Amino acid sequence: MHEQHIASAFDRDLEAIQAQIMKMGGLVEAAIMDAARSLETRDEELANQIRVGDQVIDDLEEMINQEAARVIALRAPTAVDLRLILSVMKISGNLERIGDYAKNIAKRTGVLVNMTPVNDSASALRRMAREVEVMLKDALDSYIQRDPDLARDVIERDHEVDQMYTSLFLEFLTFMMEDPRNITACMHLHFIAKNLERMGDHVTAIAEQVVYLVTGEIPDESRPKADSLNQTF
Amino acid sequence: MDDLRLVERDVDANNVKISAQKVQVYYGSNHAIKDVDVDIEDKTVTAFIGPSGCGKSTFLRCLNRMNDTIDVCRVEGTINLDGEDIYDERVDPVQLRAKVGMVFQKPNPFPKSIYDNVAYGPRIHGLASNKADLDVIVEKSLRRGAIWDEVKDRLDAPGTGLSGGQQQRLCIARAVATEPEVLLMDEPCSALDPIATAQVEELIDELRQRYSVVIVTHSMQQAARVSQKTAFFHLGNLVEFGETGQIFTNPEDPRTESYITGRIG
């Protein structure tokens, strides 16, 4: 298939939307890392910046959805063009949600800085955030390079994030049982871990959209679900 | 997931109405249709799309032997209608065309009254034994053509005095008056405005309840709107034939993809 449309303005529209997605992706990646760093370094100022910066991410999502609606109305996209428009709408939604989770981590950091740190949990959470951030980077790379193999690799890696969450969950549970004074902090830390785990799910959804965009097929949910948590209840 | 498919998009029947195998068409030395195999289903709208000169109209015209009227045109292969070869020497092309009706790009009403336009076919095929029967056929046909309400008070007025969209619906009424089983449409809306186009498309969807409809169109959006099956022709080959939703979301052949997405192909 040829790369270029006969109507070059159509190509420019599609490129513009994808550039917005990449810009949004870059901001979200930074928000994840900043959130983890602000937690680890107990940097309240940085945490505030994340909360303010989330508005830019929300505005970008809005803009992408409007542009996508325009392209549908004016260009009646079909086949790969249609899949591209459908995928940018979903991906922008996923990125916006990840941004919200980062903002929520920043909010909890604002509370946690006034409490005694619980063990070295902040660095464990930072490693988890790092994993999610790399997954997101690879998912966005696979999108730009139209690389379904890299996207499938990202989908596989979400399993590791799920495992990290499970072990943090058990750790926090132990701390709370050991000393009830840890409960408030551990509740917040647990929600942060859960936020990161949910981010991983949204990154997986983005990677699935890449596979759909390139192949026209949504990948099967064959990934083994981490259900070790179920055994703890 | 199949159970959740939109009902309107469902193909009602899987009965093959027209089966074409290894069809070749030559205009003199020009090989216009190359080895086309296609099964056209009953009670289904099948759209033929493709760039100009790809052979889609030529192939459409094979289905009711309209190409017989062109001296240099030669058709090979088999085309069966309900299992019977339409190119068999015992088949009368005039009878065939009563069963396989056709609507053309430009509305072409006869220079006669609206009534006579519709009554013409039933008269020559002897479908009505008296005037009252004929009246019934004319009304029924005009109703199926979705134009009855607009012309019922002026059936004696000339058909050529109607608007373009009305004329086209009159031609469709004329085509269905002989109770065809298949309706071939060669760009039926290209001379019509968007409102008249929408009316004809609505009509096509209604006609699908009784007939197998095959439509040639240059408007990809029209093919997407009205058809359940789409065939993409390119340089005399049938490149891809499949469910319309699949063709427009995830075509298999890169040539189909290039064409429908408006890339240079």
Side-chain angles (χ1 to χ4, degrees):
Chain A
M1 192 188 61
H2 296 262
E3 290 300 313
Q4 311 257 298
H5 287 93
I6 297 166
S8 56
F10 192 0
D11 285 327
R12 290 196 293 276
D13 287 350
L14 296 179
E15 277 161 24
I17 293 183
Q18 292 182 91
Q20 285 171 344
I21 285 280
M22 293 320 283
K23 185 175 174 197
M24 200 176 167
L27 291 173
V28 172
E29 274 180 51
I32 299 172
M33 281 329 285
D34 286 349
R37 195 149 50 87
S38 71
L39 175 68
E40 195 176 33
T41 61
R42 304 170 79 80
D43 185 341
E44 210 170 351
E45 174 58 31
L46 183 57
N48 273 330
Q49 281 173 23
I50 296 163
R51 292 160 72 172
V52 175
D54 189 55
Q55 189 58 46
V56 182
I57 294 170
D58 290 355
D59 291 346
L60 268 171
E61 189 211 9
E62 180 79 31
M63 199 193 293
I64 288 166
N65 282 338
Q66 281 174 6
E67 283 298 313
R70 258 180 74 84
V71 169
I72 291 171
L74 303 183
R75 303 274 176 197
T78 52
V80 70
D81 300 331
L82 175 66
R83 301 202 301 273
L84 177 72
I85 292 297
L86 293 175
S87 70
V88 296
M89 293 179 84
K90 289 202 166 176
I91 291 172
S92 68
N94 290 127
L95 288 172
E96 189 272 335
R97 292 298 302 151
I98 296 173
D100 278 354
Y101 287 127
K103 182 173 141 185
N104 186 269
I105 291 173
K107 273 188 194 166
R108 294 180 190 281
T109 297
V111 178
L112 284 166
V113 289
N114 300 315
M115 296 180 183
T116 329
V118 179
N119 232 357
D120 65 340
S121 54
S123 56
L125 285 168
R126 199 187 55 79
R127 282 195 297 279
M128 191 175 170
R130 174 73 191 153
E131 180 70 27
V132 171
E133 191 254 349
V134 172
M135 275 172 67
L136 176 59
K137 185 187 155 295
D138 286 348
L140 293 170
D141 281 351
S142 74
Y143 177 69
I144 282 303
Q145 291 157 15
R146 303 288 192 266
D147 182 348
D149 293 332
L150 180 56
R152 288 193 192 95
D153 183 52
V154 170
I155 294 169
E156 286 298 318
R157 268 144 60 192
D158 187 41
H159 186 47
E160 290 159 34
V161 175
D162 290 348
Q163 283 177 333
M164 286 167 128
Y165 167 69
T166 306
S167 71
L168 277 168
F169 175 89
L170 295 171
E171 199 178 316
F172 295 142
L173 202 58
T174 313
F175 290 149
M176 288 189 276
M177 288 193 292
E178 278 173 359
D179 186 348
R181 282 172 297 176
N182 284 334
I183 287 179
T184 310
C186 282
M187 285 298 285
H188 284 296
L189 290 167
H190 167 254
F191 272 114
I192 289 171
K194 185 69 192 167
N195 285 344
L196 291 169
E197 187 272 331
R198 290 295 297 145
M199 285 181 183
D201 292 344
H202 284 284
V203 174
T204 303
I206 292 172
E208 284 173 353
Q209 285 302 307
V210 175
V211 177
Y212 171 67
L213 170 64
V214 180
T215 67
E217 314 266 340
I218 309 265
D220 290 340
E221 183 114 5
S222 57
R223 184 169 61 89
K225 276 278 168 203
D227 58 355
S228 49
L229 252 193
N230 295 341
Q231 295 160 14
T232 61
F233 295 108
Chain B
M1 282 294 282
D2 284 353
D3 301 332
L4 299 177
R5 285 208 319 180
L6 294 181
V7 176
E8 284 185 35
R9 282 288 169 178
D10 234 338
V11 175
D12 290 342
N14 291 313
N15 301 331
V16 174
K17 190 69 187 174
I18 296 177
S19 174
Q21 275 135 29
K22 302 229 172 299
V23 174
Q24 324 279 342
V25 180
Y26 302 87
Y27 288 117
S29 60
N30 178 16
H31 195 175
I33 291 285
K34 297 162 191 161
D35 231 13
V36 168
D37 289 339
V38 66
D39 282 343
I40 291 168
E41 289 163 9
D42 199 11
K43 297 187 171 45
T44 299
V45 180
T46 304
F48 289 175
I49 60 171
S52 293
C54 68
K56 57 192 187 301
S57 289
T58 297
F59 186 72
L60 185 78
R61 292 160 65 89
C62 291
L63 303 180
N64 70 346
R65 292 181 59 174
M66 289 291 278
N67 288 329
D68 288 15
T69 58
I70 302 169
D71 285 341
V72 294
C73 181
R74 194 155 50 83
V75 178
E76 290 173 7
T78 48
I79 300 177
N80 290 340
L81 174 66
D82 289 329
E84 293 185 27
D85 186 358
I86 64 169
Y87 281 88
D88 191 287
E89 57 190 16
R90 285 165 298 181
V91 170
D92 173 4
V94 176
Q95 290 298 328
L96 172 69
R97 287 172 204 145
K99 276 173 106 175
V100 184
M102 192 151 188
V103 176
F104 298 88
Q105 182 172 0
K106 264 184 74 177
N108 55 351
F110 302 135
K112 294 166 178 279
S113 72
I114 292 168
Y115 184 95
D116 286 338
N117 259 281
V118 181
Y120 182 82
R123 272 194 191 120
I124 63 165
H125 289 287
L127 299 180
S129 49
N130 54 49
K131 175 78 166 78
D133 275 1
L134 197 57
D135 286 351
V136 170
I137 291 174
V138 168
E139 177 176 342
K140 193 171 69 183
S141 303
L142 287 168
R143 281 188 190 281
R144 279 188 202 157
I147 192 179
W148 171 252
D149 289 337
E150 291 160 61
V151 300
K152 64 183 177 204
D153 300 324
R154 46 173 171 152
L155 293 175
D156 295 330
T160 48
L162 297 169
S163 74
Q166 289 173 325
Q167 284 187 20
Q168 193 62 307
R169 280 179 285 145
L170 175 63
C171 291
I172 294 170
R174 185 179 65 190
V176 301
T178 56
E179 295 285 343
E181 294 164 22
V182 180
L183 204 55
L184 308 179
M185 301 180 135
D186 194 350
E187 295 193 49
C189 298
S190 59
L192 304 184
D193 72 23
I195 301 295
T197 299
Q199 286 165 336
V200 170
E201 287 177 1
E202 173 65 14
L203 176 56
I204 289 170
D205 203 51
E206 282 166 25
L207 294 174
R208 163 165 88 90
Q209 310 297 325
R210 350 180 117 252
Y211 314 109
S212 173
V213 179
V214 186
I215 179 171
V216 164
T217 175
H218 269 136
S219 161
M220 242 97 63
Q221 285 312 305
Q222 179 167 60
R225 286 191 300 261
V226 303
S227 73
Q228 289 79 48
K229 287 292 194 80
T230 297
F232 171 61
F233 286 83
H234 186 59
L235 301 174
N237 297 300
L238 176 64
V239 172
E240 188 166 350
F241 178 55
E243 196 263 323
T244 298
Q246 175 254 314
I247 296 275
F248 282 90
T249 53
N250 194 15
E252 283 172 13
D253 194 288
R255 288 169 291 177
T256 316
E257 179 119 28
S258 286
Y259 183 70
I260 64 166
T261 58
R263 290 174 165 86
I264 302 152

